[in-house]
Amino acid sequence: MQKFDVIIIGAGAAGLMCALTAGYRGRNVLLLDNAKQLGRKILISGGGRCNFTNQNIEPAAYLCRNTHFVKSALARYSQWDFIGMVERHGIEYHEKTLGQLFCNESAKDIVTMLTTECEWAGVKIQLRTEILQISKQQQGFGLSTAEGTYQCDSLVIATGGLSMPKLGATPFGYKVAEQFGLQVLPTTAGLVPFTLQPEDKERYEQLSGIALPVIATAECGKQFKEAMLFTHRGLSGPAVLQISSYWKPGEKVGFNLLPETSFVDWCNTVTQESPKLSFKNALSRLLPKRFVERLVELGDLPEKNLNQLGKGEIQQIADYLHNWQIAPNGTEGYRTAEVTLGGVDTDELSSKTMEAKKVPGLYFIGEVMDVSGWLGGYNFQWAWSSGYAAGEVV
């Protein structure tokens, strides 16, 4: 049996950060993963450029049943700390929109940086290792694997959630939590495209590929101002992914299709300038032509000239365009979801150390717990912050 101070299961973003942090403290660290390569989710993120953090990190950008849980870790290892590491390694990056930071070259740069830091910190990394059994011992934990048995004082679970099963996502972390008597909250897919009801799919599927800026609003009142994209299956794009985390089955989502324009004011101005212009052609100056034509074809918008529109009709059109409603059929599920909502109940964990209150020496970090961030680097920052918090004490 091999003995380590710390064993971390899961060599993704949180696991790598925890490993290097603990290693630099002089701890003897073993990082285990069942996968063939490190940081698979990092490598495919941000279209292969890795949206590694956001300049605007704040606790309000996280969904968690305990709204205060994320504050301590985010404050002690902030986006600026991670950006500092990126800059020390000479990785060039840029801001895309809304504070989102991406590598100029490749997500591989982030994985290489973390791997290098782990090497410098003396961390032992072992891939292709299946965990068969975990047991609590008189001191620490015992692990039985296909590669042999191990013993450690501190055990860290960094195995992520259920999103993107093709990358190896499994419920392993939840099962460990339940094995040790910790509550696991129900999980659902988050940051995920919507599928449409059959009748809406028929109405809109020919619009696949059309994107437009919107303000998406959930029934709980949460709003996001970003792009919406029509797909063959339903709706996607940043605004839809963001609002999906706040949507509940059976609810509607409202979309302001003209977030920068008051339709009534615009319509009155254009009517004065070009009264005989067709409404369809006029509106195509503001919205994608194919989208406008389809709404007219469906009878949702009138086929008239501007000067034929009455005051009441203009207000009706304004209400429709500023609050276009869709009742999603569901979501595309974990297959395309960027995060998993729910997970290990944070009430079971210390917000300062990520240690299980009932099981000394057992820690949970990253996506496996009930913490999910917005789209745009927030979830990676939670991985860095929670990994660092545990790495400081294991």
Side-chain angles (χ1 to χ4, degrees):
M1 180 181 286
Q2 294 185 60
K3 170 85 170 66
F4 291 87
D5 296 328
V6 185
I7 294 179
I8 300 163
I9 304 176
L16 286 161
M17 175 57 80
C18 183
L20 69 91
T21 305
Y24 279 129
R25 291 178 45 242
R27 305 292 277 161
N28 183 15
V29 181
L30 174 64
L31 179 59
L32 297 175
D33 201 299
N34 197 20
K36 295 175 186 174
Q37 66 182 146
L38 292 166
R40 292 176 76 189
K41 216 168 175 183
I42 300 174
L43 292 169
I44 66 144
S45 68
R49 294 244 175 124
C50 187
N51 178 192
F52 56 82
T53 193
N54 194 295
Q55 291 183 329
N56 305 317
I57 297 292
E58 58 177 353
Y62 291 87
L63 291 85
C64 177
R65 198 165 74 167
N66 176 354
T67 54
H68 300 289
F69 182 83
V70 300
K71 292 178 179 176
S72 174
L74 291 173
R76 284 180 298 122
Y77 191 88
S78 72
Q79 66 270 41
W80 311 114
D81 293 309
F82 192 78
I83 291 166
M85 185 191 294
V86 168
E87 290 176 347
R88 284 196 303 278
H89 281 257
I91 298 171
E92 295 186 350
Y93 63 91
H94 60 278
E95 181 185 347
K96 209 167 181 181
T97 54
L98 304 171
Q100 300 170 14
L101 300 183
F102 289 78
C103 298
N104 283 5
E105 296 297 324
S106 168
K108 288 178 188 170
D109 293 340
I110 298 295
V111 174
T112 300
M113 174 189 79
L114 294 167
T115 309
T116 301
E117 290 277 347
C118 281
E119 285 171 9
W120 292 346
V123 174
K124 182 181 178 185
I125 297 174
Q126 192 171 299
L127 301 177
R128 302 177 191 237
T129 302
E130 185 184 357
I131 313 297
L132 303 175
Q133 192 177 11
I134 297 172
S135 59
K136 184 83 177 82
Q137 299 184 337
Q138 201 166 358
Q139 187 184 345
F141 301 84
L143 270 70
S144 172
T145 78
E147 308 302 312
T149 56
Y150 304 91
Q151 204 267 330
C152 62
D153 296 328
S154 298
L155 178 63
V156 184
I157 307 299
T159 48
L162 300 172
S163 54
M164 300 189 185
K166 66 180 182 289
L167 294 182
T170 72
F172 178 87
Y174 309 138
K175 289 177 178 174
V176 174
E178 287 168 346
Q179 176 188 336
F180 288 100
L182 308 186
Q183 184 178 1
V184 177
L185 300 177
T187 59
T188 54
L191 298 181
V192 62
F194 286 135
T195 56
L196 295 178
Q197 306 281 357
E199 59 272 25
D200 283 336
K201 186 173 184 291
E202 199 176 306
R203 285 163 64 88
Y204 301 120
E205 65 183 342
Q206 63 186 259
L207 300 176
S208 178
I210 289 177
L212 61 156
V214 299
I215 296 173
T217 306
E219 284 193 14
C220 66
K222 195 69 193 170
Q223 292 189 330
F224 289 97
K225 183 181 180 182
E226 289 197 64
M228 175 182 76
L229 171 71
F230 286 91
T231 71
H232 287 297
R233 291 180 292 274
L235 299 176
S236 189
V240 170
L241 299 188
Q242 295 277 40
I243 213 69
S244 72
S245 293
Y246 294 85
W247 174 79
K248 302 276 189 298
E251 292 182 349
K252 290 183 177 179
V253 180
F255 294 92
N256 183 348
L257 303 175
L258 297 171
E260 304 291 346
T261 308
S262 161
F263 173 78
V264 173
D265 293 346
W266 173 84
C267 191
N268 290 334
T269 302
V270 179
T271 303
Q272 285 178 342
E273 293 168 358
S274 311
K276 293 190 176 174
L277 183 66
S278 78
F279 170 67
K280 182 167 67 178
N281 287 345
L283 190 59
S284 295
R285 296 175 181 178
L286 291 180
L287 292 168
K289 190 178 182 188
R290 203 150 52 97
F291 181 45
V292 174
E293 287 173 346
R294 183 59 178 154
L295 293 179
V296 171
E297 196 179 312
L298 291 167
D300 292 350
L301 292 176
E303 187 148 22
K304 294 181 176 181
N305 290 344
L306 288 172
N307 60 3
Q308 294 175 304
L309 297 174
K311 210 173 189 177
E313 197 170 13
I314 289 171
Q315 188 56 54
Q316 270 183 337
I317 296 168
D319 293 343
Y320 175 83
L321 294 174
H322 287 302
N323 191 22
W324 184 68
Q325 298 255 323
I326 286 286
N329 191 40
T331 72
E332 289 190 8
Y334 295 118
R335 185 179 61 82
T336 57
E338 299 219 5
V339 294
T340 305
L341 304 174
V344 179
D345 189 346
T346 56
D347 286 348
E348 301 275 16
L349 308 174
S350 159
S351 63
K352 189 172 182 187
T353 65
M354 309 296 141
E355 185 177 26
K357 294 172 184 175
K358 294 177 194 165
V359 191
L362 180 63
Y363 299 77
F364 292 83
I365 58 175
E367 194 187 340
V368 71
M369 69 176 86
D370 173 38
V371 174
S372 303
W374 291 349
L375 188 72
Y378 293 90
N379 289 291
F380 273 129
Q381 186 57 47
W382 178 246
W384 316 137
S385 298
S386 61
Y388 177 84
E392 279 281 275
V393 294
V394 289

